[in-house]
Short mmCIF file of all heavy atoms in Angstrom, two decimals:
data_model
loop_
_atom_site.label_atom_id
_atom_site.label_comp_id
_atom_site.label_asym_id
_atom_site.label_seq_id
_atom_site.Cartn_x
_atom_site.Cartn_y
_atom_site.Cartn_z
N VAL A 371 16.35 4.98 -1.36
CA VAL A 371 16.24 5.21 0.16
C VAL A 371 15.14 6.25 0.47
O VAL A 371 14.39 6.06 1.38
CB VAL A 371 17.63 5.57 0.74
CG1 VAL A 371 17.48 6.08 2.11
CG2 VAL A 371 18.62 4.54 0.59
N THR A 372 15.18 7.36 -0.30
CA THR A 372 14.18 8.41 -0.05
C THR A 372 12.76 7.91 -0.18
O THR A 372 11.85 8.16 0.61
CB THR A 372 14.45 9.64 -0.94
OG1 THR A 372 15.75 10.01 -0.75
CG2 THR A 372 13.40 10.66 -0.76
N LEU A 373 12.47 7.23 -1.26
CA LEU A 373 11.16 6.70 -1.56
C LEU A 373 10.73 5.67 -0.53
O LEU A 373 9.55 5.62 -0.01
CB LEU A 373 11.01 6.15 -2.92
CG LEU A 373 11.03 7.14 -4.07
CD1 LEU A 373 11.15 6.43 -5.41
CD2 LEU A 373 9.96 8.08 -3.99
N THR A 374 11.68 4.79 -0.11
CA THR A 374 11.39 3.83 0.91
C THR A 374 11.06 4.42 2.19
O THR A 374 10.07 4.15 2.88
CB THR A 374 12.53 2.79 1.04
OG1 THR A 374 12.75 2.19 -0.19
CG2 THR A 374 12.21 1.69 2.03
N VAL A 375 11.90 5.32 2.70
CA VAL A 375 11.66 5.98 4.01
C VAL A 375 10.45 6.85 4.01
O VAL A 375 9.70 6.79 4.96
CB VAL A 375 13.04 6.80 4.36
CG1 VAL A 375 12.74 7.64 5.58
CG2 VAL A 375 14.12 5.82 4.69
N SER A 376 10.20 7.60 2.95
CA SER A 376 9.00 8.42 2.93
C SER A 376 7.75 7.60 2.90
O SER A 376 6.73 8.04 3.59
CB SER A 376 9.12 9.40 1.75
OG SER A 376 9.04 8.72 0.51
N SER A 377 7.74 6.57 2.19
CA SER A 377 6.51 5.74 2.15
C SER A 377 6.23 4.99 3.40
O SER A 377 5.14 4.93 3.97
CB SER A 377 6.45 4.85 0.92
OG SER A 377 7.50 4.02 0.90
N THR A 378 7.29 4.36 3.87
CA THR A 378 7.14 3.50 5.13
C THR A 378 6.94 4.40 6.30
O THR A 378 6.08 4.15 7.18
CB THR A 378 8.39 2.75 5.33
OG1 THR A 378 8.66 1.92 4.22
CG2 THR A 378 8.24 1.81 6.54
N GLY A 379 7.63 5.56 6.46
CA GLY A 379 7.55 6.48 7.52
C GLY A 379 6.14 7.15 7.61
O GLY A 379 5.55 7.19 8.67
N SER A 380 5.64 7.55 6.50
CA SER A 380 4.36 8.15 6.35
C SER A 380 3.20 7.16 6.80
O SER A 380 2.35 7.48 7.56
CB SER A 380 4.04 8.81 5.09
OG SER A 380 3.95 7.77 4.10
N LEU A 381 3.40 6.00 6.33
CA LEU A 381 2.29 4.94 6.62
C LEU A 381 2.31 4.67 8.13
O LEU A 381 1.28 4.55 8.75
CB LEU A 381 2.58 3.69 5.78
CG LEU A 381 1.61 2.53 6.11
CD1 LEU A 381 0.26 2.99 5.49
CD2 LEU A 381 2.14 1.33 5.36
N VAL A 382 3.54 4.51 8.73
CA VAL A 382 3.58 4.13 10.18
C VAL A 382 3.10 5.34 10.94
O VAL A 382 2.38 5.13 11.96
CB VAL A 382 5.05 3.79 10.55
CG1 VAL A 382 5.17 3.79 12.10
CG2 VAL A 382 5.48 2.46 9.93
N LEU A 383 3.42 6.53 10.66
CA LEU A 383 2.98 7.70 11.35
C LEU A 383 1.54 7.84 11.29
O LEU A 383 0.87 8.16 12.28
CB LEU A 383 3.73 8.93 10.75
CG LEU A 383 3.49 10.27 11.50
CD1 LEU A 383 4.06 10.20 12.99
CD2 LEU A 383 4.17 11.45 10.82
N VAL A 384 0.91 7.71 10.19
CA VAL A 384 -0.60 7.89 10.10
C VAL A 384 -1.23 6.71 10.83
O VAL A 384 -2.24 6.96 11.43
CB VAL A 384 -1.00 7.92 8.59
CG1 VAL A 384 -2.51 7.85 8.43
CG2 VAL A 384 -0.57 9.23 7.94
N THR A 385 -0.74 5.53 10.68
CA THR A 385 -1.39 4.40 11.44
C THR A 385 -1.34 4.59 12.86
O THR A 385 -2.31 4.29 13.62
CB THR A 385 -0.70 3.06 10.90
OG1 THR A 385 -0.81 2.93 9.46
CG2 THR A 385 -1.36 1.93 11.55
N VAL A 386 -0.13 4.98 13.41
CA VAL A 386 -0.06 5.09 14.86
C VAL A 386 -0.95 6.23 15.38
O VAL A 386 -1.56 6.11 16.46
CB VAL A 386 1.41 5.38 15.24
CG1 VAL A 386 1.61 5.82 16.68
CG2 VAL A 386 2.31 4.11 15.05
N THR A 387 -0.88 7.44 14.73
CA THR A 387 -1.69 8.45 15.20
C THR A 387 -3.06 8.35 14.99
O THR A 387 -4.02 9.05 15.56
CB THR A 387 -1.22 9.83 14.58
OG1 THR A 387 -1.31 9.67 13.12
CG2 THR A 387 0.14 10.18 14.96
N SER A 388 -3.58 7.40 14.21
CA SER A 388 -5.04 7.14 13.96
C SER A 388 -5.76 6.40 15.11
O SER A 388 -6.94 6.33 15.03
CB SER A 388 -5.23 6.34 12.67
OG SER A 388 -4.82 5.07 12.80
N GLU A 389 -4.97 5.86 16.08
CA GLU A 389 -5.60 5.23 17.21
C GLU A 389 -6.36 6.27 17.96
O GLU A 389 -5.96 7.21 18.43
CB GLU A 389 -4.52 4.65 18.10
CG GLU A 389 -3.93 3.41 17.67
CD GLU A 389 -4.94 2.25 17.69
OE1 GLU A 389 -5.61 2.05 18.64
OE2 GLU A 389 -4.95 1.44 16.66
N LYS A 390 -7.71 5.99 18.11
CA LYS A 390 -8.62 6.97 18.76
C LYS A 390 -8.36 7.12 20.22
O LYS A 390 -8.73 8.14 20.82
CB LYS A 390 -10.09 6.64 18.48
CG LYS A 390 -10.55 5.38 19.07
CD LYS A 390 -12.05 5.14 18.71
CE LYS A 390 -12.49 3.86 19.30
NZ LYS A 390 -13.84 3.62 19.00
N ASP A 391 -7.75 6.09 20.86
CA ASP A 391 -7.45 6.19 22.29
C ASP A 391 -6.35 7.24 22.53
O ASP A 391 -6.29 7.72 23.63
CB ASP A 391 -6.95 4.80 22.85
CG ASP A 391 -8.16 3.81 22.75
OD1 ASP A 391 -9.35 4.22 22.69
OD2 ASP A 391 -7.81 2.53 22.75
N LEU A 392 -5.51 7.46 21.59
CA LEU A 392 -4.41 8.40 21.80
C LEU A 392 -4.87 9.89 21.69
O LEU A 392 -4.29 10.80 22.14
CB LEU A 392 -3.28 8.21 20.70
CG LEU A 392 -2.56 6.85 20.90
CD1 LEU A 392 -1.57 6.69 19.73
CD2 LEU A 392 -1.75 6.84 22.18
N GLY A 393 -6.02 10.09 21.00
CA GLY A 393 -6.58 11.43 20.76
C GLY A 393 -5.99 12.24 19.61
O GLY A 393 -6.15 13.47 19.61
N TYR A 394 -5.30 11.63 18.68
CA TYR A 394 -4.72 12.30 17.66
C TYR A 394 -5.40 12.08 16.29
O TYR A 394 -4.76 12.19 15.27
CB TYR A 394 -3.20 11.85 17.48
CG TYR A 394 -2.30 12.20 18.66
CD1 TYR A 394 -1.68 11.22 19.39
CD2 TYR A 394 -2.11 13.45 19.06
CE1 TYR A 394 -0.91 11.54 20.43
CE2 TYR A 394 -1.33 13.87 20.16
CZ TYR A 394 -0.70 12.81 20.85
OH TYR A 394 0.07 13.14 21.89
N THR A 395 -6.63 11.80 16.34
CA THR A 395 -7.34 11.42 15.04
C THR A 395 -7.36 12.61 14.04
O THR A 395 -7.21 12.47 12.86
CB THR A 395 -8.76 10.97 15.30
OG1 THR A 395 -9.47 11.92 16.12
CG2 THR A 395 -8.74 9.67 16.04
N VAL A 396 -7.55 13.90 14.58
CA VAL A 396 -7.56 15.00 13.68
C VAL A 396 -6.15 15.26 13.09
O VAL A 396 -5.97 15.51 11.85
CB VAL A 396 -7.98 16.33 14.46
CG1 VAL A 396 -7.83 17.68 13.68
CG2 VAL A 396 -9.40 16.12 15.06
N VAL A 397 -5.07 15.01 13.91
CA VAL A 397 -3.68 15.09 13.38
C VAL A 397 -3.46 14.08 12.36
O VAL A 397 -2.86 14.29 11.31
CB VAL A 397 -2.65 15.09 14.52
CG1 VAL A 397 -1.27 14.96 13.99
CG2 VAL A 397 -2.88 16.17 15.48
N SER A 398 -4.03 12.81 12.58
CA SER A 398 -3.81 11.74 11.72
C SER A 398 -4.49 11.99 10.43
O SER A 398 -3.87 11.79 9.34
CB SER A 398 -4.39 10.49 12.35
OG SER A 398 -4.35 9.41 11.44
N GLU A 399 -5.67 12.52 10.36
CA GLU A 399 -6.41 12.91 9.12
C GLU A 399 -5.60 13.94 8.33
O GLU A 399 -5.54 13.89 7.15
CB GLU A 399 -7.79 13.34 9.43
CG GLU A 399 -8.74 12.20 9.94
CD GLU A 399 -10.14 12.70 10.24
OE1 GLU A 399 -10.39 13.89 10.12
OE2 GLU A 399 -10.78 11.91 10.87
N SER A 400 -5.06 14.96 9.10
CA SER A 400 -4.38 15.97 8.43
C SER A 400 -3.12 15.44 7.81
O SER A 400 -2.66 15.81 6.67
CB SER A 400 -3.89 17.15 9.46
OG SER A 400 -3.19 18.03 8.86
N LEU A 401 -2.40 14.58 8.57
CA LEU A 401 -1.17 13.93 7.97
C LEU A 401 -1.45 13.07 6.79
O LEU A 401 -0.80 13.07 5.78
CB LEU A 401 -0.49 13.10 9.09
CG LEU A 401 0.27 13.89 10.16
CD1 LEU A 401 0.72 12.92 11.26
CD2 LEU A 401 1.40 14.61 9.61
N ASP A 402 -2.60 12.34 6.89
CA ASP A 402 -3.02 11.54 5.77
C ASP A 402 -3.23 12.36 4.55
O ASP A 402 -2.86 11.92 3.45
CB ASP A 402 -4.21 10.59 6.17
CG ASP A 402 -4.51 9.52 5.15
OD1 ASP A 402 -3.61 9.07 4.55
OD2 ASP A 402 -5.67 9.22 5.03
N HIS A 403 -3.96 13.37 4.70
CA HIS A 403 -4.22 14.28 3.50
C HIS A 403 -2.91 14.81 2.92
O HIS A 403 -2.77 14.97 1.72
CB HIS A 403 -5.17 15.42 3.85
CG HIS A 403 -6.55 14.92 4.11
ND1 HIS A 403 -7.27 14.17 3.13
CD2 HIS A 403 -7.36 14.94 5.12
CE1 HIS A 403 -8.47 13.94 3.60
NE2 HIS A 403 -8.61 14.35 4.89
N THR A 404 -1.97 15.14 3.82
CA THR A 404 -0.72 15.73 3.35
C THR A 404 0.15 14.60 2.53
O THR A 404 0.70 14.93 1.53
CB THR A 404 0.11 16.23 4.54
OG1 THR A 404 -0.64 17.18 5.21
CG2 THR A 404 1.47 16.77 4.14
N PHE A 405 0.16 13.43 3.16
CA PHE A 405 0.98 12.34 2.56
C PHE A 405 0.37 11.66 1.34
O PHE A 405 0.99 10.86 0.68
CB PHE A 405 1.24 11.22 3.62
CG PHE A 405 2.13 11.65 4.74
CD1 PHE A 405 1.93 11.31 6.04
CD2 PHE A 405 3.21 12.51 4.47
CE1 PHE A 405 2.70 11.71 7.03
CE2 PHE A 405 4.11 12.85 5.46
CZ PHE A 405 3.87 12.51 6.78
N LEU A 406 -0.92 12.04 0.98
CA LEU A 406 -1.51 11.44 -0.18
C LEU A 406 -0.73 11.82 -1.48
O LEU A 406 -0.95 11.29 -2.51
CB LEU A 406 -2.92 11.99 -0.32
CG LEU A 406 -3.96 11.21 0.62
CD1 LEU A 406 -5.34 11.75 0.48
CD2 LEU A 406 -3.96 9.79 0.29
N ARG A 407 0.16 12.74 -1.36
CA ARG A 407 1.00 13.13 -2.56
C ARG A 407 2.08 12.20 -2.78
O ARG A 407 2.69 12.10 -3.86
CB ARG A 407 1.49 14.51 -2.32
CG ARG A 407 0.63 15.65 -2.29
CD ARG A 407 1.19 16.88 -1.91
NE ARG A 407 0.26 18.02 -1.94
CZ ARG A 407 -0.60 18.23 -0.82
NH1 ARG A 407 -0.56 17.48 0.27
NH2 ARG A 407 -1.48 19.23 -0.81
N LEU A 408 2.37 11.26 -1.79
CA LEU A 408 3.35 10.24 -1.99
C LEU A 408 2.82 8.89 -2.53
O LEU A 408 1.95 8.39 -1.79
CB LEU A 408 4.02 10.01 -0.56
CG LEU A 408 4.73 11.23 0.08
CD1 LEU A 408 5.13 10.83 1.35
CD2 LEU A 408 5.80 11.70 -0.81
N PRO A 409 3.20 8.38 -3.59
CA PRO A 409 2.70 7.23 -4.22
C PRO A 409 2.87 5.98 -3.24
O PRO A 409 1.96 5.14 -3.13
CB PRO A 409 3.45 7.05 -5.42
CG PRO A 409 4.04 8.30 -5.84
CD PRO A 409 4.29 9.05 -4.49
N GLY A 410 3.98 5.96 -2.52
CA GLY A 410 4.24 4.81 -1.58
C GLY A 410 3.26 4.80 -0.47
O GLY A 410 2.77 3.74 0.00
N HIS A 411 2.90 6.00 0.00
CA HIS A 411 1.90 6.10 1.13
C HIS A 411 0.53 5.65 0.63
O HIS A 411 -0.19 4.85 1.28
CB HIS A 411 1.79 7.51 1.58
CG HIS A 411 0.71 7.71 2.64
ND1 HIS A 411 0.86 7.29 3.93
CD2 HIS A 411 -0.40 8.39 2.54
CE1 HIS A 411 -0.23 7.64 4.58
NE2 HIS A 411 -1.03 8.26 3.79
N CYS A 412 0.22 6.06 -0.59
CA CYS A 412 -1.07 5.72 -1.21
C CYS A 412 -1.14 4.14 -1.33
O CYS A 412 -2.23 3.54 -1.04
CB CYS A 412 -1.32 6.30 -2.56
SG CYS A 412 -1.53 8.12 -2.44
N LEU A 413 -0.09 3.54 -1.82
CA LEU A 413 -0.11 2.10 -2.02
C LEU A 413 -0.18 1.34 -0.72
O LEU A 413 -0.92 0.42 -0.49
CB LEU A 413 1.21 1.67 -2.73
CG LEU A 413 1.31 0.17 -2.98
CD1 LEU A 413 0.23 -0.30 -3.99
CD2 LEU A 413 2.67 -0.12 -3.64
N GLY A 414 0.59 1.81 0.33
CA GLY A 414 0.47 1.19 1.71
C GLY A 414 -0.93 1.30 2.32
O GLY A 414 -1.41 0.35 2.90
N MET A 415 -1.55 2.55 2.19
CA MET A 415 -2.88 2.61 2.69
C MET A 415 -3.87 1.88 1.94
O MET A 415 -4.81 1.33 2.59
CB MET A 415 -3.21 4.18 2.69
CG MET A 415 -2.44 5.02 3.65
SD MET A 415 -2.59 4.50 5.36
CE MET A 415 -4.23 4.87 5.77
N ALA A 416 -3.73 1.68 0.62
CA ALA A 416 -4.62 0.89 -0.13
C ALA A 416 -4.54 -0.55 0.32
O ALA A 416 -5.59 -1.19 0.52
CB ALA A 416 -4.32 1.01 -1.63
N PHE A 417 -3.39 -1.16 0.53
CA PHE A 417 -3.25 -2.44 1.02
C PHE A 417 -3.75 -2.57 2.47
O PHE A 417 -4.37 -3.59 2.81
CB PHE A 417 -1.79 -2.95 0.93
CG PHE A 417 -1.38 -3.52 -0.46
CD1 PHE A 417 -0.57 -2.83 -1.20
CD2 PHE A 417 -2.03 -4.61 -0.93
CE1 PHE A 417 -0.18 -3.21 -2.50
CE2 PHE A 417 -1.67 -5.09 -2.18
CZ PHE A 417 -0.77 -4.37 -2.96
N SER A 418 -3.53 -1.59 3.27
CA SER A 418 -3.98 -1.69 4.66
C SER A 418 -5.49 -1.67 4.68
O SER A 418 -6.18 -2.41 5.38
CB SER A 418 -3.36 -0.38 5.37
OG SER A 418 -3.96 -0.37 6.70
N ASN A 419 -6.14 -0.81 3.86
CA ASN A 419 -7.63 -0.73 3.84
C ASN A 419 -8.28 -2.03 3.21
O ASN A 419 -9.28 -2.39 3.62
CB ASN A 419 -8.07 0.57 2.97
CG ASN A 419 -7.73 1.84 3.75
OD1 ASN A 419 -7.66 1.89 4.87
ND2 ASN A 419 -7.65 2.85 2.94
N LEU A 420 -7.50 -2.53 2.23
CA LEU A 420 -7.95 -3.81 1.70
C LEU A 420 -8.02 -4.99 2.74
O LEU A 420 -8.92 -5.68 2.81
CB LEU A 420 -7.23 -4.27 0.52
CG LEU A 420 -7.63 -5.36 -0.30
CD1 LEU A 420 -8.98 -5.00 -0.98
CD2 LEU A 420 -6.68 -5.78 -1.40
N CYS A 421 -6.94 -5.00 3.56
CA CYS A 421 -6.94 -5.96 4.65
C CYS A 421 -7.98 -5.66 5.73
O CYS A 421 -8.58 -6.58 6.21
CB CYS A 421 -5.54 -5.96 5.33
SG CYS A 421 -4.29 -6.88 4.46
N TYR A 422 -8.11 -4.41 6.01
CA TYR A 422 -9.14 -4.00 7.03
C TYR A 422 -10.60 -4.39 6.63
O TYR A 422 -11.31 -4.97 7.35
CB TYR A 422 -9.09 -2.57 7.35
CG TYR A 422 -10.12 -2.10 8.30
CD1 TYR A 422 -10.00 -2.17 9.64
CD2 TYR A 422 -11.26 -1.31 7.81
CE1 TYR A 422 -10.98 -1.76 10.56
CE2 TYR A 422 -12.20 -0.91 8.62
CZ TYR A 422 -12.08 -1.15 10.00
OH TYR A 422 -13.08 -0.68 10.85
N ASN A 423 -10.95 -4.02 5.34
CA ASN A 423 -12.14 -4.44 4.81
C ASN A 423 -12.37 -5.90 4.79
O ASN A 423 -13.50 -6.41 5.10
CB ASN A 423 -12.36 -3.82 3.46
CG ASN A 423 -12.58 -2.29 3.51
OD1 ASN A 423 -12.95 -1.72 4.51
ND2 ASN A 423 -12.21 -1.58 2.42
N PHE A 424 -11.36 -6.62 4.43
CA PHE A 424 -11.46 -8.06 4.38
C PHE A 424 -11.80 -8.64 5.81
O PHE A 424 -12.64 -9.50 6.02
CB PHE A 424 -10.39 -8.73 3.80
CG PHE A 424 -10.24 -10.22 3.85
CD1 PHE A 424 -10.97 -11.00 3.02
CD2 PHE A 424 -9.49 -10.88 4.85
CE1 PHE A 424 -11.00 -12.36 3.08
CE2 PHE A 424 -9.48 -12.27 4.88
CZ PHE A 424 -10.22 -13.03 4.00
N GLU A 425 -11.03 -8.17 6.77
CA GLU A 425 -11.19 -8.73 8.17
C GLU A 425 -12.56 -8.25 8.70
O GLU A 425 -13.19 -9.00 9.46
CB GLU A 425 -10.10 -8.09 9.09
CG GLU A 425 -8.72 -8.77 8.71
CD GLU A 425 -8.66 -10.26 8.89
OE1 GLU A 425 -9.34 -10.81 9.76
OE2 GLU A 425 -7.92 -10.91 8.15
N LEU A 426 -13.08 -7.02 8.35
CA LEU A 426 -14.30 -6.55 8.83
C LEU A 426 -15.43 -7.44 8.22
O LEU A 426 -16.41 -7.83 8.93
CB LEU A 426 -14.57 -5.16 8.48
CG LEU A 426 -15.78 -4.49 8.97
CD1 LEU A 426 -15.83 -4.48 10.51
CD2 LEU A 426 -15.92 -3.08 8.32
N ARG A 427 -15.36 -7.73 6.95
CA ARG A 427 -16.32 -8.61 6.32
C ARG A 427 -16.36 -10.01 6.97
O ARG A 427 -17.36 -10.61 7.08
CB ARG A 427 -16.11 -8.74 4.79
CG ARG A 427 -16.60 -7.50 4.11
CD ARG A 427 -16.61 -7.74 2.54
NE ARG A 427 -15.10 -7.69 2.19
CZ ARG A 427 -14.56 -8.30 1.20
NH1 ARG A 427 -15.33 -9.08 0.49
NH2 ARG A 427 -13.33 -8.13 0.92
N LYS A 428 -15.11 -10.51 7.23
CA LYS A 428 -15.14 -11.86 7.85
C LYS A 428 -15.61 -11.85 9.27
O LYS A 428 -16.42 -12.76 9.61
CB LYS A 428 -13.56 -12.16 7.88
CG LYS A 428 -13.32 -13.70 8.15
CD LYS A 428 -11.98 -14.14 7.70
CE LYS A 428 -10.92 -13.88 8.69
NZ LYS A 428 -9.58 -14.46 8.48
N PHE A 429 -15.44 -10.77 9.98
CA PHE A 429 -15.98 -10.64 11.34
C PHE A 429 -17.48 -10.58 11.32
O PHE A 429 -18.19 -11.21 12.07
CB PHE A 429 -15.33 -9.37 12.02
CG PHE A 429 -16.06 -9.02 13.33
CD1 PHE A 429 -15.76 -9.68 14.51
CD2 PHE A 429 -16.95 -8.03 13.36
CE1 PHE A 429 -16.39 -9.39 15.64
CE2 PHE A 429 -17.54 -7.68 14.60
CZ PHE A 429 -17.30 -8.35 15.71
N CYS A 430 -17.99 -9.69 10.40
CA CYS A 430 -19.46 -9.55 10.23
C CYS A 430 -20.13 -10.81 9.86
O CYS A 430 -21.23 -11.13 10.31
CB CYS A 430 -19.82 -8.45 9.29
SG CYS A 430 -19.37 -6.79 9.90
N SER A 431 -19.52 -11.59 8.95
CA SER A 431 -20.17 -12.84 8.57
C SER A 431 -20.05 -13.90 9.65
O SER A 431 -20.97 -14.67 9.78
CB SER A 431 -19.55 -13.32 7.27
OG SER A 431 -18.15 -13.66 7.50
N ALA A 432 -18.98 -13.85 10.46
CA ALA A 432 -18.81 -14.83 11.61
C ALA A 432 -19.87 -14.61 12.66
O ALA A 432 -20.39 -15.49 13.27
CB ALA A 432 -17.39 -14.80 12.15
N LYS A 433 -20.21 -13.24 12.86
CA LYS A 433 -21.24 -12.84 13.82
C LYS A 433 -22.61 -12.72 13.34
O LYS A 433 -23.47 -12.31 14.00
CB LYS A 433 -20.81 -11.45 14.44
CG LYS A 433 -19.53 -11.47 15.17
CD LYS A 433 -19.67 -12.25 16.50
CE LYS A 433 -18.35 -12.10 17.24
NZ LYS A 433 -18.48 -12.79 18.52
N SER A 434 -22.77 -13.11 11.97
CA SER A 434 -24.07 -13.02 11.31
C SER A 434 -24.74 -11.69 11.41
O SER A 434 -25.95 -11.54 11.69
CB SER A 434 -25.01 -14.11 11.80
OG SER A 434 -24.46 -15.34 11.69
N LEU A 435 -23.91 -10.59 11.16
CA LEU A 435 -24.50 -9.25 11.15
C LEU A 435 -24.92 -8.85 9.78
O LEU A 435 -24.27 -9.18 8.87
CB LEU A 435 -23.39 -8.32 11.67
CG LEU A 435 -22.82 -8.51 13.13
CD1 LEU A 435 -21.66 -7.54 13.40
CD2 LEU A 435 -23.93 -8.37 14.14
N ASN A 436 -25.99 -8.10 9.76
CA ASN A 436 -26.43 -7.58 8.46
C ASN A 436 -25.65 -6.32 8.12
O ASN A 436 -24.73 -5.89 8.93
CB ASN A 436 -27.94 -7.35 8.42
CG ASN A 436 -28.45 -6.26 9.38
OD1 ASN A 436 -27.63 -5.45 9.79
ND2 ASN A 436 -29.62 -6.33 9.77
#
Side-chain angles (χ1 to χ4, degrees):
V371 170
T372 302
L373 290 173
T374 302
V375 168
S376 66
S377 59
T378 306
S380 65
L381 182 65
V382 168
L383 187 61
V384 169
T385 303
V386 168
T387 57
S388 68
E389 283 292 318
K390 65 180 178 179
D391 295 338
L392 296 175
Y394 295 119
T395 53
V396 174
V397 174
S398 176
E399 290 175 8
S400 174
L401 287 171
D402 191 29
H403 290 303
T404 303
F405 291 140
L406 282 176
R407 294 172 181 85
L408 302 174
H411 175 74
C412 293
L413 182 64
M415 290 304 290
F417 277 112
S418 176
N419 290 337
L420 191 65
C421 282
Y422 175 78
N423 289 335
F424 174 76
E425 293 297 329
L426 183 64
R427 282 187 287 149
K428 198 160 80 169
F429 172 77
C430 289
S431 65
K433 296 289 185 181
S434 300
L435 299 175
N436 63 21

